[in-house]
Amino acid sequence: MKKLLISIFIILALAASAVEAKQERSQAAKDLFKRSHPCPSNGNDHGSCPGYVIDHVEPLACGGKDAPENMQWQTETEGKAKDKWERKGCQVGQPHSAPTQNNGYYTGPRGGCYTLIAGGKKRYVAHSFCRG
């Protein structure tokens, strides 16, 4: 009986950690973002946006909110580049360092390349901008 209870506890603990590891994206938040930020390629405030993806400025994997104020349009190429460093750099316990600057572009502590836009928000760009 004791072994059965321990097994159940382990299974529940593993299931809980799997749920925490993957945060579901809110379709309602994406729709609200689209209504307030029309697609750069076709101007639509709904539906697809050819060549662009909706990106989380502060990645979900790094604790960012799944809310319109944490979203931006990003080209598919920029999105793929940012996804690479997010997978590597947003692990719990990673050391953080101050961003370095190169001609108005910053390399953050997790390797992302960005510039600052209105309101002090980050706009991620291709890594080539930070290599200078």
Side-chain angles (χ1 to χ4, degrees):
M1 182 66 159
K2 187 176 180 180
K3 287 183 181 180
L4 177 62
L5 289 175
I6 291 172
S7 297
I8 291 172
F9 177 76
I10 291 171
I11 291 169
L12 291 174
L14 290 173
S17 64
V19 169
E20 291 172 9
K22 174 92 172 133
Q23 181 178 352
E24 291 298 317
R25 294 185 66 176
S26 165
Q27 186 62 45
K30 284 174 61 176
D31 291 343
L32 185 58
F33 171 79
K34 287 179 182 181
R35 284 193 295 275
S36 60
H37 299 83
C39 171
S41 65
N42 62 20
N44 288 344
D45 64 357
H46 63 283
S48 66
C49 184
Y52 287 84
V53 295
I54 295 176
D55 173 67
H56 288 86
V57 177
E58 177 70 20
L60 296 178
C62 297
K65 294 189 296 185
D66 191 20
E69 62 270 11
N70 187 38
M71 295 177 181
Q72 66 182 353
W73 286 112
Q74 195 172 55
T75 66
E76 290 176 350
T77 303
E78 290 171 340
K80 287 178 184 177
K82 185 174 175 228
D83 287 348
K84 272 186 183 177
W85 73 259
E86 284 176 355
R87 283 191 291 274
K88 292 179 185 174
C90 294
Q91 299 168 6
V92 176
Q94 289 290 323
H96 300 297
S97 59
T100 57
Q101 184 178 8
N102 183 12
N103 298 325
Y105 293 94
Y106 298 85
T107 301
R110 297 183 188 112
C113 181
Y114 64 91
T115 187
L116 299 176
I117 58 173
K121 293 186 177 185
K122 296 177 184 177
R123 179 175 178 270
Y124 284 89
V125 297
H127 283 95
S128 60
F129 286 96
C130 289
R131 292 187 192 120

